Amino acid sequence: MTKGSYTTTRIKVSPPPLTGLHLNPRIFEYEGLYGVTLRVTLEPLAFPIPIVAAELADKWLEVSAETPSAGSTLGVAVERFLDDVGGQLRAVRKVGDMRLSDIRRRYIDAWEMRLLTQHRASGTDTHYKYAVHMFALLRRIESDAPGSLHPEVVDRLEQDSRLEHVRNPGLEPFTINETKRLRAAAHRMVFRALQSTPAQLANRNVLVALNVLLALPTGEPPEVIRGMSVDHLQVTASSAYDEATARMTPRDRMTWLAQQDGIEAFAVTFVKNRAGGEERREVYTRTSRAAYAALLALLVLTAEDGRGSTEESLWLTRRPSGVLGQPRWNDRRWSLKRWIESQGIEVEGPLVWSRFRKVVVAREAVRDGGLYLRRERRHTSGVFFKHYSQSAVIEARGGALLVQGIQGYFDAAVHGAVVVTPEAEQLLLDGQECDALSVDMAASLLSGDLDGPHTACRNLEDSPFEPAGETCGQATTGKCFGCSNALITQSHLPAAILIRDLSDPRRAADPAAWLATWKDIHEFVTAIVLPAFSEEQVAVASELVASVPVDLGVANDMRGANQDV
């Protein structure tokens, strides 16, 4: 598959004959959001160039069957293309029995330029999508049957469309206070529904409240949450319930266990139709309180109506007609905006679901940004930085980390260990005085009187790791590189290299312990100590690492608490 096209393997064949080509309407039916069946129709005889319309419609049906999510937009793109190009041809009296191979580049260019004008005026991506889809369809036609298009059209299709994707400023996530107000209102509403007798969904506000309570912990968009069916949810419970639920349907078993508070964990399969049906599974136990409680409430509140039902959706309500089924989510009365306004909740900015997702993304990225980007569970790092990194929460955290980093380097330079390069050693040997070392201290350093296993030390009995007056016991643990008493020369490079490797965050058994103790040491060694020496000096020192004594201890947090080496 070539990016930006519906291409298949290129095979040399002659242009397809018109034999068997009919002009009857082409109809594509597909399942839209929330189980609604939708229909798109293309009628070749409704266009000035019906044979071209029939050729495009046949390939449109083929592509739509392969990628149902593209069928509707692609259908509209084909209609717009046929109207425009057909109008051009009719104006010059070149309609008749024209087929796709008769279309020339000038007609493609004129159609695209009109789209470009509309695109710039609209400020949306609608016309851009039409161009991208139409180019992709034409590439697919030529790929499946080379020679179907005129060579000059094929040459034009080798290039991208002149229309460009519109990058609008991203929406801000709900603020912390707004999130608290929304969650509290949803909780109150669901709690009152659970206290009713019997517990069942009384109105649409409760269902929207449950959407809010699931969107906040999961970060999933509404179409994914509302698309959950019985098949997408599995529950685990104690074996004590096995006999009672043995003959129940999956829905009845889940709802009965929910009513008994017997569910220990939910395994949820989230399906993203906009990503080609991509599936992702998450497990929520009782410790995942927010998501667990929302799923439990959903089952309890639909238990009465759902008992014995063959309806697959987890979201059930009785319509005014008495028919049981999914809510009419596309109705404005079911919108988040309507719900917030009806509850009188004070919220600034657009009242849209995507702002919940940004709340979750910001929370996860701040908690562990490196892991978040590596997993790419929600999106790639590129999408994150383009669409989500503008969050005020993430920017504030990023600013704090930057200031902390600068402060750390400043403290290390002013109050931390002193690095004495070979050039500085030579100046000291020549009698040069410096503020960092007294004359006597410099003489003791150069003579080796201050040397320890890893670094030299100003005063072994003035250790930040021991009570005043006691001899430091950390000389072989690597913590000297985080001590303000340390003096580091070229002879200490082997120890620095060893500690750099041992304190690598990727080897940390306990991330919290690494952050508390070894982060500053590791960064000092890698950012200050080693760069102060030449690559040749570091390379020579690397050969001597094995001779450095090191005591990791039985409870050294570099390897994890209370773990033997």
Side-chain angles (χ1 to χ4, degrees):
M1 175 70 78
T2 300
K3 184 177 180 181
S5 70
Y6 300 114
T7 56
T8 54
T9 305
R10 184 177 288 273
I11 304 172
K12 279 290 181 184
V13 297
S14 301
L18 289 178
T19 305
L21 184 69
H22 62 82
L23 302 181
N24 296 333
R26 271 66 165 177
I27 301 173
F28 172 61
E29 287 190 353
Y30 65 102
E31 185 176 318
L33 291 177
Y34 321 129
V36 177
T37 299
L38 300 175
R39 173 183 290 189
V40 183
T41 303
L42 277 178
E43 299 187 40
L45 290 174
F47 301 98
I49 42 177
I51 296 176
V52 175
E55 292 178 279
L56 290 176
D58 283 343
K59 189 58 67 173
W60 162 70
L61 279 180
E62 184 180 332
V63 169
S64 297
E66 298 169 359
T67 314
S69 59
S72 178
T73 303
L74 178 57
V76 176
V78 170
E79 288 180 340
R80 295 292 187 89
F81 177 83
L82 289 169
D83 281 334
D84 190 288
V85 175
Q88 295 178 56
L89 291 168
R90 186 165 50 191
V92 294
R93 295 184 174 85
K94 289 185 177 180
V95 180
D97 58 355
M98 288 192 67
R99 55 184 301 184
L100 194 57
S101 59
D102 297 321
I103 302 297
R104 297 295 184 265
R105 173 170 176 165
R106 60 182 178 276
Y107 302 121
I108 302 288
D109 287 340
W111 156 77
E112 187 187 21
M113 291 307 296
R114 266 185 282 276
L115 269 187
L116 180 59
T117 301
Q118 296 166 352
H119 175 63
R120 289 171 174 169
S122 69
T124 69
D125 268 343
T126 301
H127 300 91
Y128 164 79
K129 291 178 181 177
Y130 294 157
V132 170
H133 278 284
M134 197 62 219
F135 269 55
L137 184 67
L138 293 173
R139 291 187 187 112
R140 170 65 178 268
I141 290 172
E142 179 63 19
S143 178
D144 284 354
S148 297
L149 304 177
H150 191 275
E152 65 182 34
V153 173
V154 175
D155 289 341
R156 174 64 188 92
L157 295 176
E158 293 296 324
Q159 308 167 43
D160 292 329
S161 168
R162 296 181 178 88
L163 281 71
E164 295 182 349
H165 177 42
V166 175
R167 289 288 184 195
N168 293 316
L171 291 173
E172 286 288 332
F174 291 116
T175 66
I176 294 175
N177 288 333
E178 288 172 342
T179 302
K180 288 180 178 178
R181 288 194 288 268
L182 291 166
R183 182 186 287 113
H187 269 303
R188 287 193 298 269
M189 193 171 294
V190 172
F191 178 77
R192 286 196 296 267
L194 289 170
Q195 296 303 305
S196 65
T197 305
Q200 59 184 12
L201 292 174
N203 55 56
R204 61 178 175 271
N205 283 333
V206 177
L207 279 175
V208 178
L210 281 169
N211 271 252
V212 172
L213 294 179
L214 276 171
L216 280 169
T218 66
E220 296 298 336
E223 67 270 17
V224 172
I225 292 174
R226 294 167 177 174
M228 292 190 303
S229 69
V230 174
D231 292 338
H232 297 150
L233 192 65
Q234 294 182 338
V235 301
T236 58
S238 167
S239 58
Y241 296 105
D242 289 350
E243 184 175 348
T245 61
R247 293 179 177 82
M248 294 183 181
T249 64
R251 179 188 287 277
D252 289 346
R253 175 179 176 271
M254 287 191 296
T255 54
W256 186 83
L257 287 171
Q259 290 175 317
Q260 309 305 313
D261 193 23
I263 297 176
E264 296 301 323
F266 292 95
V268 186
T269 300
F270 293 114
V271 182
K272 295 188 176 183
N273 290 319
R274 286 193 295 179
E278 173 189 328
E279 295 185 358
R280 182 173 58 79
R281 199 177 196 197
E282 295 288 340
V283 176
Y284 301 105
T285 64
R286 291 179 184 268
T287 58
S288 312
R289 292 184 299 176
Y292 176 92
L295 289 167
L296 191 70
L298 174 60
L299 290 178
V300 171
L301 292 172
T302 57
E304 294 299 320
D305 283 339
R307 184 170 289 112
S309 171
T310 58
E311 177 66 43
E312 294 183 356
S313 175
L314 287 176
W315 301 86
L316 296 176
T317 188
R318 288 205 176 272
R319 296 168 185 160
S321 62
V323 175
L324 181 68
Q326 281 199 74
R328 299 186 183 280
W329 297 114
N330 292 324
D331 191 316
R332 285 185 299 175
R333 292 175 299 175
W334 291 88
S335 68
L336 177 66
K337 182 176 186 292
R338 181 72 171 266
W339 182 81
I340 291 176
E341 291 175 344
S342 69
Q343 303 308 307
I345 306 170
E346 188 177 339
V347 177
E348 295 290 334
L351 307 181
V352 294
W353 289 102
S354 60
R355 296 179 68 190
F356 282 120
R357 182 173 176 83
K358 292 200 170 186
V359 169
V360 178
V361 167
R363 182 173 65 236
E364 293 178 353
V366 167
R367 183 183 300 140
D368 191 336
L371 177 62
Y372 180 86
L373 293 175
R374 287 195 300 273
R375 289 180 66 185
E376 294 192 347
R377 182 170 67 86
R378 297 195 183 278
H379 40 58
T380 65
S381 57
V383 171
F384 171 79
F385 284 110
K386 285 180 181 178
H387 297 282
Y388 291 91
S389 61
Q390 303 305 311
S391 159
V393 175
I394 294 178
E395 288 183 342
R397 178 58 176 162
L401 290 174
L402 176 62
V403 172
Q404 290 171 12
I406 294 172
Q407 184 64 47
Y409 284 121
F410 178 81
D411 289 342
V414 176
H415 306 297
V418 174
V419 180
V420 183
T421 64
E423 294 79 10
E425 277 194 73
Q426 186 59 51
L427 290 174
L428 292 175
L429 285 170
D430 293 341
Q432 178 71 47
E433 295 184 11
C434 69
D435 294 336
L437 295 173
S438 66
V439 175
D440 292 341
M441 185 72 69
S444 297
L445 173 65
L446 295 174
S447 65
D449 293 343
L450 303 180
D451 272 355
H454 289 180
T455 69
C457 183
R458 296 173 186 267
N459 188 347
L460 282 172
E461 295 183 351
D462 184 27
S463 170
F465 307 113
E466 310 289 354
E470 292 189 14
T471 302
C472 182
Q474 302 294 323
T476 58
T477 65
K479 292 184 179 179
C480 289
F481 289 98
C483 178
S484 58
N485 282 333
L487 300 172
I488 303 165
T489 67
Q490 184 177 348
S491 64
H492 304 123
L493 277 180
I497 294 169
L498 174 65
I499 298 307
R500 176 201 64 185
D501 295 342
L502 289 175
S503 63
D504 190 308
R506 291 170 296 185
R507 300 183 57 171
D510 183 352
W514 184 86
L515 286 170
T517 303
W518 297 103
K519 176 180 179 292
D520 292 341
I521 292 174
H522 182 77
E523 291 181 349
F524 178 72
V525 171
T526 55
I528 296 178
V529 177
L530 297 180
F533 300 88
S534 68
E535 292 182 4
E536 293 76 14
Q537 291 164 345
V538 173
V540 171
S542 299
E543 302 296 325
L544 304 174
V545 168
S547 64
V548 177
V550 61
D551 178 15
L552 295 180
V554 294
N556 189 296
D557 51 15
M558 192 185 294
R559 290 288 183 86
N562 299 316
Q563 294 293 320
D564 292 336
V565 178

